[in-house]
Amino acid sequence: MLLLPVPEVKNIIRFQVSIMLVVFLVGFYFFVEFNKVYLPKLEFSENKSTSYFKIQAKLYEKHLANLKGFKSSDQRLMASVIDAKSTSILDEGFLASLTRVTILDQTFDPLKISPEGLDILEYADWLDVHMVMRKNLQLSPAYLLGINDQHYSWDRWLSYMFVHIGFYHLLSNALFLLLFGALIETVFGGIVLILVFLGSGILAAPIYMLLNDLNQVSLVGASGGVCGLIAFYSITQFKEKMRFFYWVLPLENYYGFISLSSGYILLLWCLGDLAGYFAGVGFLDSVAYGAHLGGFLVGAVCALGINSYNSLINR
């Protein structure tokens, strides 16, 4: 089921700042994409992919065997699966997931694990791919501008917001930035929009770091700021109705528009992100639920502050 807010904003002149923010996000994304020519080329055929995953899994199996105690639920889960089934016959989908675990596991350095007992040619292929992948990671925009276990200073709290992994990631953030940015700008003006967006995004970073362990996979994206806008609008305009487009099936009466309270928006997103945060499996999650929750919190505080101020001056 699809449920998408489609607000009615008739005068485009009234949300120029929202459009400018979206244009900047999109422009920055394509600027970064067009300048990735400096990254080393990675030859990764299907056979080499399978071989890479297999060697990575066997190295991680050795790593787990050398540990005196598991430091995370991911390690414990993977060890139990590996014990139940040999890494030589695990399917490629699981091996790919296991490779993601090895990247997130800060205790694992595959170059420090002895290759004894492994196929020499497969290990050599693995090493070639691994070194190129490591160099790509360290030169990637996400690593250079995002928040990770090596870089998490206050300047990254701003820069991470403007980097996106893939066009869909950018599109979803840009769409909701435009929708809720337009609503906020028409009521409160462009300055409030910018302050709430940047403030929510910046402060979502330390909240994310409190809720999650940092690793090599960088936190990037404007979703923390966008969630702040959603919370801000939903609370300040709690009783206002908003138009939603719903789609269940491509049949008559199974899609169309419906009006719901704006407070429903906040409830919908918060419950979804809370469920994702508490029920998600760390190594399979690609969504930064902690940053979303941080953005919601900051946006809510901003909204409550404005509501309190308005109540005081209207007495």
Side-chain angles (χ1 to χ4, degrees):
M1 177 180 177
L2 174 68
L3 189 63
L4 181 69
V6 185
E8 297 181 78
V9 182
K10 297 178 181 179
N11 190 350
I12 193 172
I13 302 300
R14 298 181 64 188
F15 56 98
Q16 296 179 79
V17 174
S18 305
I19 295 174
M20 289 172 60
L21 284 173
V22 170
V23 168
F24 181 80
L25 276 186
V26 174
F28 190 86
Y29 172 81
F30 283 107
F31 172 79
V32 168
E33 288 298 306
F34 290 147
N35 284 277
K36 280 186 177 178
V37 292
Y38 60 84
L39 294 177
K41 299 300 180 185
L42 181 60
E43 297 296 333
F44 215 172
S45 66
E46 184 175 348
N47 289 337
K48 206 166 189 177
S49 170
T50 303
S51 177
Y52 176 85
F53 292 147
K54 188 186 299 182
I55 295 297
Q56 188 84 350
K58 289 182 177 180
L59 291 172
Y60 194 62
E61 184 180 15
K62 286 189 171 188
H63 169 69
L64 292 177
N66 293 333
L67 287 178
K68 295 181 179 180
F70 298 127
K71 296 186 177 181
S72 73
S73 58
D74 293 346
Q75 289 180 340
R76 190 175 295 107
L77 174 61
M78 286 303 154
S80 65
V81 174
I82 289 172
D83 285 343
K85 195 173 185 180
S86 170
T87 52
S88 62
I89 58 174
L90 287 172
D91 63 87
E92 186 172 338
F94 178 82
L95 290 174
S97 297
L98 178 57
T99 300
R100 179 172 173 78
V101 179
T102 67
I103 295 172
L104 298 176
D105 190 343
Q106 297 180 62
T107 67
F108 175 59
D109 184 350
L111 296 178
K112 293 181 179 179
I113 306 297
S114 169
E116 183 180 355
L118 302 179
D119 184 280
I120 297 177
L121 294 179
E122 284 189 341
Y123 182 80
D125 285 342
W126 170 87
L127 187 60
D128 287 342
V129 173
H130 179 78
M131 296 310 294
V132 175
M133 288 180 68
R134 174 174 284 194
K135 191 170 184 180
N136 270 325
L137 173 67
Q138 294 173 346
L139 291 175
S140 68
Y143 193 80
L144 295 174
L145 297 173
I147 297 171
N148 49 63
D149 59 346
Q150 299 298 315
H151 306 285
Y152 46 84
S153 56
W154 65 268
D155 56 310
R156 295 294 182 105
W157 299 3
L158 175 64
S159 62
Y160 88 97
M161 295 175 61
F162 301 101
V163 180
H164 290 85
I165 305 299
F167 186 71
Y168 176 77
H169 186 207
L170 167 72
L171 182 63
S172 60
N173 279 334
L175 176 62
F176 285 97
L177 170 57
L178 183 61
L179 289 174
F180 287 94
L183 289 169
I184 292 171
E185 188 176 353
T186 54
V187 177
F188 298 98
I191 293 178
V192 171
L193 165 63
I194 292 174
L195 290 176
V196 174
F197 175 66
L198 292 180
S200 298
I202 290 170
L203 295 179
I207 295 173
Y208 172 84
M209 289 189 285
L210 286 173
L211 297 175
N212 300 269
D213 294 327
L214 295 179
N215 49 64
Q216 295 180 61
V217 179
S218 298
L219 169 68
V220 293
S223 54
V226 171
C227 288
L229 296 181
I230 294 173
F232 181 84
Y233 179 79
S234 299
I235 292 175
T236 56
Q237 309 295 312
F238 191 79
K239 296 180 181 179
E240 294 292 324
K241 292 287 187 178
M242 177 179 286
R243 185 177 64 162
F244 283 78
F245 172 76
Y246 69 91
W247 185 92
V248 181
L249 293 171
L251 300 172
E252 190 176 357
N253 299 325
Y254 283 90
Y255 65 91
F257 292 93
I258 187 174
S259 292
L260 298 170
S261 168
S262 61
Y264 178 77
I265 308 167
L266 185 58
L267 178 64
L268 183 68
W269 264 281
C270 280
L271 287 177
D273 283 320
L274 281 170
Y277 177 75
F278 286 111
V281 181
F283 63 89
L284 293 177
D285 279 337
S286 58
V287 179
Y289 294 111
H292 291 189
L293 295 172
F296 283 131
L297 177 62
V298 177
V301 170
C302 292
L304 293 174
I306 280 195
N307 283 351
S308 299
Y309 174 77
N310 288 336
S311 295
L312 286 174
I313 64 174
N314 290 328
R315 281 182 179 180

